[in-house]
Amino acid sequence: MDQERDRLKNLEDDDRRYIWHPFTQMQEYEQEAPVIIERAEGVFLIDIHGKRYIDGVSSIWVNVHGHCQPEIDRALKEQIGRVSHSTLLGISNVPAIQLAKKLVEITPPGLEKVFYSDSGSTAVEIALKISFQFFQHRMGKSCKKTRFVALTNAYHGDTIGSVSVGGIPLFHDLFHPLLFPCDFAPSPCCYRCPLEMTYPSCSLACADELEKTVRRVHEEAAALIIEPLIQGAAGMLVAPPGYLARVREICTRYDLLMIVDEVATGFGRTGTLFACEQEGVSPDLLCLAKGMTGGYLPLAATLTSQEVFDAFLGPYEDFKTFFHGHTYTGNPLACAAALASISLLERDGVLPGFQEKIRYLSGELDPLKEFAHVGEVRQKGFMVGIELVMDRATRKPYPLKEKIGHRVILEARKRGMIIRPLGNVIVLMPPLCIEKDRIREMVEITGASIREVTE
């Protein structure tokens, strides 16, 4: 017993001593009891002390089928017996080919080519570089289309390019001197409408404002980038119906490439395989990552149209090559995991049955809307944001120093659930495989934790 106690204490001490955790204020972290995950099963994470937690945010929005999923485990073991990695620079591998074909088959029409990378940030970075280079090839040295259009409250990753098209001041303002120019249009946020209007009487005035921005800069803009239907890191801000389709029309009218960032929304999170399907939108470039491997390994992909791809073809000496790549591009293990994950989505009829779970989750969330300090409950499929406010009538937010969101998630841990806040917004995004009894338990823990902290 003493030996085991020493092992656990050493792990906790070494975690504080050696690891710099992302999006974490380490001064405060070192004062808290760390949660160190040792194993998992289904929708549960299990720490070194044996305590079980519902994985309420799918290990940051990646887990789809639950942990230790037998089919994905088997696919990885079989692939390890063949080859774990070989470069995609100038040669290929079997799982990368098979996955590329599958992605082209299941994504919206018109996307024909797949460029692999290793994270959502890099998938976006690649889309930005491809868009820029596409117009350089198409229009020559006189090309002025070197800028990008994005939305306020946008989050597209943490590399310099993806931060340049990000619109969340807390994450992005510090790095402003490092960033390239970007033109921002107002976010389609109905709860705190920047135009002080109300849906549906507004007639999508936010889309009109976007068009004004595009009209002003379209001769210098190469592409527009958008998170479809819901802005995740901004606090699960759900766009009004029809907005995404309008964006597609605007991009086409003003000759901008449309980049759709489905890193968070892809692979079923919003109720369809890809969010842009819900408004019949086919982008020019599509960014995928997170849930692609079912939460097993890092893998990302940027899909493009044939027209975009063809602009990069030419004699070697013309240097139209896309000079970009990653060491682990198209990694066979990651591609094998992705193929197994997609097979499960297709084979088990996950998405048709998923609609009932979405409705059930909505019903369980309804009572939270009456809480004294819940301003709004936002939901798109299994993506949920619960915004906490000091005053419901005025929608006055809690000051950041109150750390309301952080206090709520610490309370949830005591009750057996791992979730993460986005400021004053409590986020729920469980694995798609979660059953109704666990959905009820997840929402009950969330409600009890909110009440404990706010009331």
Side-chain angles (χ1 to χ4, degrees):
M1 290 294 293
D2 290 343
Q3 187 176 10
E4 177 63 8
R5 185 169 60 250
D6 289 345
R7 182 183 78 88
L8 302 183
K9 185 178 185 305
N10 287 339
L11 282 170
E12 292 174 344
D13 290 345
D14 288 349
D15 175 55
R16 294 188 183 96
R17 182 176 179 183
Y18 296 114
I19 295 183
W20 190 344
H21 292 266
F23 286 91
T24 302
Q25 176 44 251
M26 295 305 297
Q27 180 172 296
E28 295 182 354
Y29 178 85
E30 291 175 359
Q31 298 169 1
E32 299 171 354
V35 175
I36 302 173
I37 302 303
E38 191 165 43
R39 54 195 178 91
E41 55 184 42
V43 299
F44 287 97
L45 297 166
I46 305 166
D47 71 13
I48 57 176
H49 300 285
K51 183 173 180 178
R52 298 165 66 89
Y53 305 86
I54 296 174
D55 189 354
V57 286
S58 300
S59 295
I60 308 301
W61 313 0
V62 298
N63 194 280
V64 176
H65 309 287
H67 298 276
C68 299
Q69 215 293 328
E71 282 83 349
I72 303 178
D73 289 355
R74 184 163 54 251
L76 285 172
K77 291 172 183 175
E78 290 174 356
Q79 185 58 44
I80 287 172
R82 299 186 183 101
V83 57
S84 294
H85 182 64
S86 68
T87 182
L88 217 63
L89 275 68
I91 64 173
S92 199
N93 68 71
V94 173
I97 297 168
Q98 294 171 334
L99 178 60
K101 180 181 179 181
K102 175 57 68 174
L103 290 174
V104 168
E105 290 173 351
I106 65 176
T107 51
L111 297 168
E112 302 291 343
K113 299 293 181 178
V114 178
F115 195 101
Y116 289 115
S117 58
D118 54 359
S119 74
S121 296
T122 56
V124 167
E125 198 90 12
I126 288 162
L128 297 173
K129 291 176 71 174
I130 286 175
S131 300
F132 173 88
Q133 192 172 339
F134 168 79
F135 281 106
Q136 297 298 306
H137 293 329
R138 196 179 83 172
M139 303 176 74
K141 293 182 180 180
S142 61
C143 179
K144 298 178 181 179
K145 294 173 80 67
T146 61
R147 299 175 68 94
F148 294 89
V149 177
L151 299 177
T152 58
N153 295 319
Y155 177 84
H156 297 290
D158 301 320
T159 54
I160 292 301
S162 58
V163 168
S164 295
V165 293
I168 301 178
L170 179 63
F171 297 157
H172 304 142
D173 277 4
L174 175 66
F175 301 102
H176 184 75
L178 304 178
L179 309 181
F180 57 70
C182 183
D183 297 284
F184 288 93
S187 168
C189 172
C190 294
Y191 182 63
R192 299 183 186 278
C193 177
L195 305 177
E196 299 183 348
M197 302 180 77
T198 303
Y199 179 83
S201 61
C202 64
S203 300
L204 291 181
C206 50
D208 295 335
E209 289 298 311
L210 173 66
E211 183 166 4
K212 289 178 185 177
T213 300
V214 172
R215 186 186 304 123
R216 175 173 55 84
V217 303
H218 74 278
E219 291 183 353
E220 291 82 37
L224 178 148
I225 184 167
I226 186 171
E227 300 162 83
L229 304 188
I230 181 168
Q231 290 183 299
M236 300 298 169
L237 305 181
V238 180
Y243 181 83
L244 185 68
R246 277 284 306 278
V247 174
R248 173 68 274 186
E249 294 169 6
I250 291 166
C251 289
T252 301
R253 185 180 310 127
Y254 292 96
D255 193 26
L256 271 67
L257 294 177
M258 183 183 187
I259 303 171
V260 169
D261 177 358
E262 291 237 25
V263 170
T265 57
F267 301 99
R269 292 290 177 196
T270 64
T272 51
L273 197 55
F274 301 102
C276 53
E277 296 175 29
Q278 296 183 32
E279 296 200 2
V281 167
S282 291
D284 300 294
L285 296 104
L286 178 67
C287 302
L288 303 175
K290 284 196 181 293
M292 184 151 55
T293 68
Y296 271 70
L297 288 167
L299 182 65
T302 305
L303 281 78
T304 75
S305 66
Q306 188 70 41
E307 179 187 5
V308 170
F309 175 80
D310 286 347
F312 291 77
L313 302 180
Y316 180 86
E317 62 272 19
D318 286 355
F319 296 117
K320 289 188 173 182
T321 300
F322 184 48
F323 292 107
H324 188 103
H326 297 268
T327 303
Y328 283 94
T329 293
N331 173 257
L333 284 179
C335 291
L339 283 163
S341 178
I342 294 170
S343 176
L344 285 169
L345 282 170
E346 294 181 326
R347 189 196 70 197
D348 292 349
V350 170
L351 293 180
F354 189 40
Q355 303 306 317
E356 184 179 349
K357 289 184 183 180
I358 292 171
R359 290 191 291 270
Y360 184 82
L361 174 59
S362 297
E364 291 296 304
L365 290 168
D366 278 343
L368 273 62
K369 297 175 183 178
E370 305 305 317
F371 282 23
H373 294 281
V374 171
E376 185 179 43
V377 177
R378 298 184 281 269
Q379 180 187 4
K380 179 58 69 173
F382 258 24
M383 301 178 72
V384 176
I386 304 163
E387 182 165 345
L388 306 180
V389 293
M390 289 185 68
D391 188 295
R392 279 169 58 97
T394 64
R395 303 181 182 182
K396 182 180 179 180
Y398 283 100
L400 284 177
K401 66 179 181 180
E402 293 285 338
K403 299 188 296 184
I404 288 295
H406 187 67
R407 287 160 55 192
V408 169
I409 68 109
L410 291 181
E411 186 65 33
R413 285 184 196 175
K414 297 177 187 177
R415 300 169 186 267
M417 182 166 68
I418 298 291
I419 51 177
R420 285 277 300 178
L422 292 166
N424 292 326
V425 179
I426 305 304
V427 172
L428 302 177
M429 197 190 297
L432 272 58
C433 67
I434 192 171
E435 298 297 338
K436 289 182 178 179
D437 57 343
R438 296 303 177 200
I439 291 175
R440 185 187 316 113
E441 183 179 358
M442 175 183 71
V443 177
E444 287 174 352
I445 291 173
T446 302
S449 300
I450 292 171
R451 279 206 161 117
E452 179 67 25
V453 171
T454 63
E455 299 181 20

PDB file of all heavy atoms in Angstrom, residues 218-232:
ATOM      1  N   HIS A 218     -13.404  42.695 -51.774  1.00  0.00           N
ATOM      2  CA  HIS A 218     -13.322  41.466 -52.555  1.00  0.00           C
ATOM      3  C   HIS A 218     -12.203  41.468 -53.591  1.00  0.00           C
ATOM      4  O   HIS A 218     -11.667  40.411 -53.927  1.00  0.00           O
ATOM      5  CB  HIS A 218     -14.667  41.180 -53.246  1.00  0.00           C
ATOM      6  CG  HIS A 218     -14.980  42.055 -54.405  1.00  0.00           C
ATOM      7  ND1 HIS A 218     -15.516  43.322 -54.265  1.00  0.00           N
ATOM      8  CD2 HIS A 218     -14.819  41.871 -55.748  1.00  0.00           C
ATOM      9  CE1 HIS A 218     -15.691  43.861 -55.448  1.00  0.00           C
ATOM     10  NE2 HIS A 218     -15.272  43.013 -56.368  1.00  0.00           N
ATOM     11  N   GLU A 219     -11.804  42.617 -54.070  1.00  0.00           N
ATOM     12  CA  GLU A 219     -10.722  42.639 -55.057  1.00  0.00           C
ATOM     13  C   GLU A 219      -9.379  42.286 -54.429  1.00  0.00           C
ATOM     14  O   GLU A 219      -8.456  41.881 -55.142  1.00  0.00           O
ATOM     15  CB  GLU A 219     -10.656  44.014 -55.726  1.00  0.00           C
ATOM     16  CG  GLU A 219     -11.851  44.306 -56.623  1.00  0.00           C
ATOM     17  CD  GLU A 219     -11.718  45.635 -57.336  1.00  0.00           C
ATOM     18  OE1 GLU A 219     -10.758  46.386 -57.028  1.00  0.00           O
ATOM     19  OE2 GLU A 219     -12.566  45.927 -58.207  1.00  0.00           O
ATOM     20  N   GLU A 220      -9.272  42.436 -53.109  1.00  0.00           N
ATOM     21  CA  GLU A 220      -8.026  42.092 -52.406  1.00  0.00           C
ATOM     22  C   GLU A 220      -8.148  40.804 -51.601  1.00  0.00           C
ATOM     23  O   GLU A 220      -7.167  40.352 -51.009  1.00  0.00           O
ATOM     24  CB  GLU A 220      -7.618  43.229 -51.452  1.00  0.00           C
ATOM     25  CG  GLU A 220      -7.165  44.507 -52.143  1.00  0.00           C
ATOM     26  CD  GLU A 220      -8.351  45.364 -52.564  1.00  0.00           C
ATOM     27  OE1 GLU A 220      -9.338  45.411 -51.813  1.00  0.00           O
ATOM     28  OE2 GLU A 220      -8.290  45.969 -53.661  1.00  0.00           O
ATOM     29  N   ALA A 221      -9.337  40.211 -51.537  1.00  0.00           N
ATOM     30  CA  ALA A 221      -9.560  39.044 -50.681  1.00  0.00           C
ATOM     31  C   ALA A 221      -9.522  37.750 -51.487  1.00  0.00           C
ATOM     32  O   ALA A 221     -10.163  37.623 -52.533  1.00  0.00           O
ATOM     33  CB  ALA A 221     -10.897  39.167 -49.967  1.00  0.00           C
ATOM     34  N   ALA A 222      -8.772  36.780 -50.967  1.00  0.00           N
ATOM     35  CA  ALA A 222      -8.677  35.472 -51.620  1.00  0.00           C
ATOM     36  C   ALA A 222      -9.766  34.517 -51.145  1.00  0.00           C
ATOM     37  O   ALA A 222     -10.290  33.728 -51.932  1.00  0.00           O
ATOM     38  CB  ALA A 222      -7.306  34.855 -51.352  1.00  0.00           C
ATOM     39  N   ALA A 223     -10.098  34.573 -49.857  1.00  0.00           N
ATOM     40  CA  ALA A 223     -11.033  33.587 -49.323  1.00  0.00           C
ATOM     41  C   ALA A 223     -11.738  34.123 -48.093  1.00  0.00           C
ATOM     42  O   ALA A 223     -11.276  35.062 -47.432  1.00  0.00           O
ATOM     43  CB  ALA A 223     -10.287  32.290 -48.977  1.00  0.00           C
ATOM     44  N   LEU A 224     -12.854  33.480 -47.793  1.00  0.00           N
ATOM     45  CA  LEU A 224     -13.586  33.699 -46.550  1.00  0.00           C
ATOM     46  C   LEU A 224     -13.566  32.394 -45.781  1.00  0.00           C
ATOM     47  O   LEU A 224     -13.758  31.322 -46.362  1.00  0.00           O
ATOM     48  CB  LEU A 224     -15.021  34.130 -46.842  1.00  0.00           C
ATOM     49  CG  LEU A 224     -15.945  34.353 -45.643  1.00  0.00           C
ATOM     50  CD1 LEU A 224     -16.964  35.449 -45.955  1.00  0.00           C
ATOM     51  CD2 LEU A 224     -16.696  33.069 -45.239  1.00  0.00           C
ATOM     52  N   ILE A 225     -13.358  32.461 -44.472  1.00  0.00           N
ATOM     53  CA  ILE A 225     -13.341  31.254 -43.646  1.00  0.00           C
ATOM     54  C   ILE A 225     -14.433  31.340 -42.597  1.00  0.00           C
ATOM     55  O   ILE A 225     -14.674  32.405 -42.022  1.00  0.00           O
ATOM     56  CB  ILE A 225     -11.956  31.036 -42.997  1.00  0.00           C
ATOM     57  CG1 ILE A 225     -11.945  29.701 -42.219  1.00  0.00           C
ATOM     58  CG2 ILE A 225     -11.537  32.219 -42.124  1.00  0.00           C
ATOM     59  CD1 ILE A 225     -10.555  29.254 -41.817  1.00  0.00           C
ATOM     60  N   ILE A 226     -15.104  30.216 -42.355  1.00  0.00           N
ATOM     61  CA  ILE A 226     -16.241  30.204 -41.436  1.00  0.00           C
ATOM     62  C   ILE A 226     -16.368  28.852 -40.753  1.00  0.00           C
ATOM     63  O   ILE A 226     -16.076  27.811 -41.344  1.00  0.00           O
ATOM     64  CB  ILE A 226     -17.547  30.539 -42.197  1.00  0.00           C
ATOM     65  CG1 ILE A 226     -18.727  30.670 -41.235  1.00  0.00           C
ATOM     66  CG2 ILE A 226     -17.823  29.519 -43.292  1.00  0.00           C
ATOM     67  CD1 ILE A 226     -19.989  31.203 -41.894  1.00  0.00           C
ATOM     68  N   GLU A 227     -16.799  28.867 -39.489  1.00  0.00           N
ATOM     69  CA  GLU A 227     -17.244  27.667 -38.784  1.00  0.00           C
ATOM     70  C   GLU A 227     -18.730  27.500 -39.116  1.00  0.00           C
ATOM     71  O   GLU A 227     -19.515  28.401 -38.852  1.00  0.00           O
ATOM     72  CB  GLU A 227     -17.067  27.831 -37.274  1.00  0.00           C
ATOM     73  CG  GLU A 227     -15.633  28.069 -36.824  1.00  0.00           C
ATOM     74  CD  GLU A 227     -15.580  28.639 -35.415  1.00  0.00           C
ATOM     75  OE1 GLU A 227     -15.653  27.841 -34.458  1.00  0.00           O
ATOM     76  OE2 GLU A 227     -15.482  29.878 -35.280  1.00  0.00           O
ATOM     77  N   PRO A 228     -19.141  26.374 -39.668  1.00  0.00           N
ATOM     78  CA  PRO A 228     -20.524  26.244 -40.113  1.00  0.00           C
ATOM     79  C   PRO A 228     -21.509  25.993 -38.972  1.00  0.00           C
ATOM     80  O   PRO A 228     -21.258  25.175 -38.080  1.00  0.00           O
ATOM     81  CB  PRO A 228     -20.464  25.033 -41.044  1.00  0.00           C
ATOM     82  CG  PRO A 228     -19.355  24.204 -40.489  1.00  0.00           C
ATOM     83  CD  PRO A 228     -18.346  25.178 -39.964  1.00  0.00           C
ATOM     84  N   LEU A 229     -22.576  26.741 -38.963  1.00  0.00           N
ATOM     85  CA  LEU A 229     -23.720  26.610 -38.059  1.00  0.00           C
ATOM     86  C   LEU A 229     -23.444  27.029 -36.627  1.00  0.00           C
ATOM     87  O   LEU A 229     -24.338  27.530 -35.943  1.00  0.00           O
ATOM     88  CB  LEU A 229     -24.279  25.171 -38.047  1.00  0.00           C
ATOM     89  CG  LEU A 229     -24.696  24.568 -39.383  1.00  0.00           C
ATOM     90  CD1 LEU A 229     -25.391  23.224 -39.139  1.00  0.00           C
ATOM     91  CD2 LEU A 229     -25.603  25.488 -40.172  1.00  0.00           C
ATOM     92  N   ILE A 230     -22.231  26.840 -36.115  1.00  0.00           N
ATOM     93  CA  ILE A 230     -21.971  27.118 -34.712  1.00  0.00           C
ATOM     94  C   ILE A 230     -20.502  27.485 -34.506  1.00  0.00           C
ATOM     95  O   ILE A 230     -19.611  26.807 -35.014  1.00  0.00           O
ATOM     96  CB  ILE A 230     -22.381  25.901 -33.838  1.00  0.00           C
ATOM     97  CG1 ILE A 230     -22.144  26.165 -32.349  1.00  0.00           C
ATOM     98  CG2 ILE A 230     -21.657  24.630 -34.279  1.00  0.00           C
ATOM     99  CD1 ILE A 230     -22.796  25.108 -31.452  1.00  0.00           C
ATOM    100  N   GLN A 231     -20.265  28.587 -33.794  1.00  0.00           N
ATOM    101  CA  GLN A 231     -18.901  28.989 -33.450  1.00  0.00           C
ATOM    102  C   GLN A 231     -18.571  28.362 -32.096  1.00  0.00           C
ATOM    103  O   GLN A 231     -19.105  28.772 -31.061  1.00  0.00           O
ATOM    104  CB  GLN A 231     -18.794  30.514 -33.395  1.00  0.00           C
ATOM    105  CG  GLN A 231     -18.908  31.177 -34.759  1.00  0.00           C
ATOM    106  CD  GLN A 231     -18.733  32.676 -34.689  1.00  0.00           C
ATOM    107  OE1 GLN A 231     -19.495  33.369 -34.026  1.00  0.00           O
ATOM    108  NE2 GLN A 231     -17.725  33.195 -35.369  1.00  0.00           N
ATOM    109  N   GLY A 232     -17.683  27.385 -32.113  1.00  0.00           N
ATOM    110  CA  GLY A 232     -17.444  26.565 -30.939  1.00  0.00           C
ATOM    111  C   GLY A 232     -16.756  27.266 -29.791  1.00  0.00           C
ATOM    112  O   GLY A 232     -17.327  27.468 -28.716  1.00  0.00           O
TER     113      GLY A 232
END
